[in-house]
Amino acid sequence: MEITQLIPQFGSVVWTLLAFVIALSVIVAIHEYGHYIVGRWSGIHADVFSLGFGPVLFSRVDKRGTRWQVAALPFGGYVKFKGDENAASGTSDAATLDAMSEEERRQTMTGAPLWARAATVAAGPVFNFVLTIVLFTGIFMAQGQVSEPLTVGELRPIPSVQELQEGDVLLEIEGTPTPSFDDSEGFDTFLKNLPMQNALTYTVERDGTRQDVTGPYVYPPLVSQVVPRSAANEAGMEPDDVIISIDGVPIFAFDQLKQRVESSDGATLGLEVWRDGEILDLALTPKRTDEPMPDGGYQTVYRIGIVGGIFFEPATSTVGPLDAVQGAVSRTYSIAAGSLSGLWHMIAGNISSCNLSGPIGIAETSGAMASQGGQSFLTFIAVLSTAVGLLNLFPVPVLDGGHLVFFAYEAVAGKPPSERALRALMSAGLVLILGMMVFALTNDIFCP
């Protein structure tokens, strides 16, 4: 059952906040568990594992002496290792360390070998990437892969002539053999060469016989997904909506919609939308969007924030675990590379800094993705987990990447940075992170 069936009011502030807390709690728990478990394997003892900050709501001490607790403020979490001065694990409590035996000091971050400290710190971001890969692996296995030859699965409801049936094997469209769906470039070229008309002739194999039937344009102006915080989302568009006209001009192809939006220069568009047999009138204003290009640059275009799709769900076959994992690793790498590229282009001034979202934007996105179903919400968690892992690897003091830089210095110099230098750098890093948070929050409030 979809989340929207269980909680139809997910768009409210309360449920948006709940979705955000759930997503963040899962990601933080996995991140901190990475620190904890690798630290334990490395001989470093954890005094506290906390999900959340502030007053403790629930806690228990396990047989190893670690206190596991849930705190009242669910916007983060931490692991406090033995000998740490505070929950940030940035500095050690000198008085406590002086009173320890050599065996006890070995169980602290300060007294552990360099390799153990580095592995423990790196484990947090690594576990975030692992979470992403696990989630995408499960999603890919649940989705399956499109069967060959291309076969009609579930037909989507659209207001067009429809003579195809589930199980039809698509042999030809308008006399041209149907290419492999996996060949995205070849399939796109095939679509571009089809006649631009509302109804097409499909040659199918049905019950062992070959016959011609009439069906809609392959890519109608059908909404398969609504992008969070987009013009379409703000206007109330939903998956399975079909746009039948723009400013009174009928359309039947997604490309017609795309061309009209891109040429709008941000002017408000009047859309007629077909939804479950009813016609709705919606007005929405396309937003300027920075999109990556194949050459690595970015282009600024107008978008309303919908994802299209063909007029039926293709029949699928099972994806093996190995193929699913390979696809998940590739997707994770693409997300990380795209995030770094986008950040670099923002710093260089090539794209708008409004592409950086803060907590409000992330919360709104989490609610919107949850409202579109469990799979969309899991995809959002996977993407956000990669972002959290990547952010923590930045070489900024107070982040995991900053600690790794300190460890690298220690490996080269033969000694750690001085306590005074560490405190100064940690303070500077904290100011930098707080500044970034304020900047991102400002984007949430003032960016269109």
Side-chain angles (χ1 to χ4, degrees):
M1 180 177 290
E2 293 292 295
I3 290 179
T4 47
Q5 294 173 297
L6 294 172
I7 312 174
Q9 67 273 43
F10 223 112
S12 70
V13 174
V14 173
W15 293 116
T16 293
L17 183 61
L18 178 60
F20 175 59
V21 169
I22 292 173
L24 186 63
S25 297
V26 170
I27 292 168
V28 169
I30 294 298
H31 179 96
E32 296 301 332
Y33 186 76
H35 290 314
Y36 162 78
I37 193 63
V38 173
R40 198 183 89 187
W41 293 340
S42 303
I44 302 173
H45 175 74
D47 286 337
V48 180
F49 185 109
S50 180
L51 189 59
F53 297 97
V56 176
L57 302 178
F58 166 80
S59 70
R60 72 173 185 86
V61 178
D62 66 17
K63 63 181 181 181
R64 294 182 177 85
T66 299
R67 178 177 297 279
W68 298 77
Q69 65 184 40
V70 177
L73 302 177
F75 303 107
Y78 62 88
V79 176
K80 183 178 181 296
F81 289 106
K82 188 172 184 176
D84 288 347
E85 188 175 32
N86 52 51
S89 298
T91 55
S92 299
D93 186 339
T96 301
L97 290 175
D98 290 342
M100 291 182 179
S101 66
E102 283 298 317
E103 182 179 353
E104 289 175 322
R105 284 177 62 87
R106 172 59 181 84
Q107 297 178 345
T108 69
M109 283 290 283
T110 301
L114 183 59
W115 67 266
R117 286 178 277 148
T120 300
V121 169
V126 169
F127 268 54
N128 280 132
F129 299 137
V130 170
L131 172 61
T132 300
I133 292 170
V134 168
L135 288 176
F136 276 134
T137 297
I139 290 170
F140 292 160
M141 293 185 69
Q143 285 179 333
Q145 62 185 0
V146 175
S147 301
E148 293 292 349
L150 184 60
T151 304
V152 177
E154 181 181 353
L155 288 163
R156 294 188 172 116
I158 57 176
S160 302
V161 59
Q162 178 63 276
E163 295 180 354
L164 282 92
Q165 299 178 7
E166 293 184 15
D168 284 347
V169 178
L170 302 187
L171 304 177
E172 298 176 358
I173 303 178
E174 290 292 326
T176 303
T178 307
S180 171
F181 192 79
D182 287 338
D183 179 10
S184 58
E185 185 175 344
F187 200 82
D188 287 344
T189 301
F190 167 72
L191 291 178
K192 291 178 181 178
N193 293 329
L194 289 175
M196 185 64 73
Q197 56 193 45
N198 189 28
L200 300 175
T201 299
Y202 292 79
T203 302
V204 303
E205 180 181 316
R206 180 184 297 171
D207 298 328
T209 62
R210 180 186 177 103
Q211 55 184 288
D212 291 338
V213 296
T214 301
Y217 191 77
V218 181
Y219 269 95
L222 167 73
V223 179
S224 62
Q225 184 177 341
V226 180
V227 178
R229 307 186 74 203
S230 65
N233 179 247
E234 293 169 359
M237 295 192 73
E238 300 177 358
D240 291 332
D241 283 352
V242 181
I243 300 167
I244 59 177
S245 75
I246 305 175
D247 290 336
V249 179
I251 62 171
F252 58 84
F254 196 87
D255 277 347
Q256 293 173 314
L257 170 65
K258 182 180 177 182
Q259 291 168 8
R260 183 67 184 86
V261 170
E262 290 179 346
S263 63
S264 68
D265 289 328
T268 300
L269 302 175
L271 307 183
E272 277 191 319
V273 176
W274 183 91
R275 179 184 298 170
D276 297 328
E278 297 183 3
I279 305 298
L280 307 177
D281 291 319
L282 300 179
L284 66 164
T285 304
K287 295 184 177 183
R288 289 172 60 93
T289 305
D290 296 309
E291 294 184 347
M293 300 175 64
D295 62 2
Y298 278 76
Q299 62 176 349
T300 301
V301 294
Y302 284 97
R303 293 283 184 258
I304 62 173
I306 64 173
V307 178
I310 59 179
F311 65 90
F312 62 89
E313 291 282 356
T316 59
S317 57
T318 303
V319 175
L322 181 59
D323 289 338
V325 170
Q326 289 176 339
V329 171
S330 177
R331 177 69 66 85
T332 304
Y333 174 82
S334 296
I335 293 170
S339 299
L340 291 175
S341 175
L343 180 61
W344 168 253
H345 282 279
M346 273 190 285
I347 295 173
N350 298 327
I351 61 176
S352 171
S353 60
C354 285
N355 286 281
L356 180 66
S357 294
I360 296 176
I362 295 172
E364 290 178 350
T365 301
S366 65
M369 294 298 283
S371 69
Q372 295 185 40
Q375 183 173 299
S376 294
F377 189 48
L378 290 177
T379 299
F380 169 73
I381 293 177
V383 173
L384 185 59
S385 182
T386 296
V388 170
L390 197 62
L391 175 64
N392 271 277
L393 287 177
F394 284 3
V396 177
V398 309
L399 296 180
D400 294 330
H403 289 293
L404 293 175
V405 170
F406 296 153
F407 295 152
Y409 172 86
E410 182 178 346
V412 173
K415 61 179 182 179
S418 68
E419 194 69 22
R420 182 178 179 182
L422 277 176
R423 289 184 181 277
L425 289 170
M426 295 292 281
S427 297
L430 182 59
V431 170
L432 178 60
I433 293 299
L434 290 176
M436 290 179 60
M437 291 178 63
V438 170
F439 179 75
L441 184 60
T442 302
N443 281 353
D444 289 342
I445 297 171
F446 296 106
C447 285

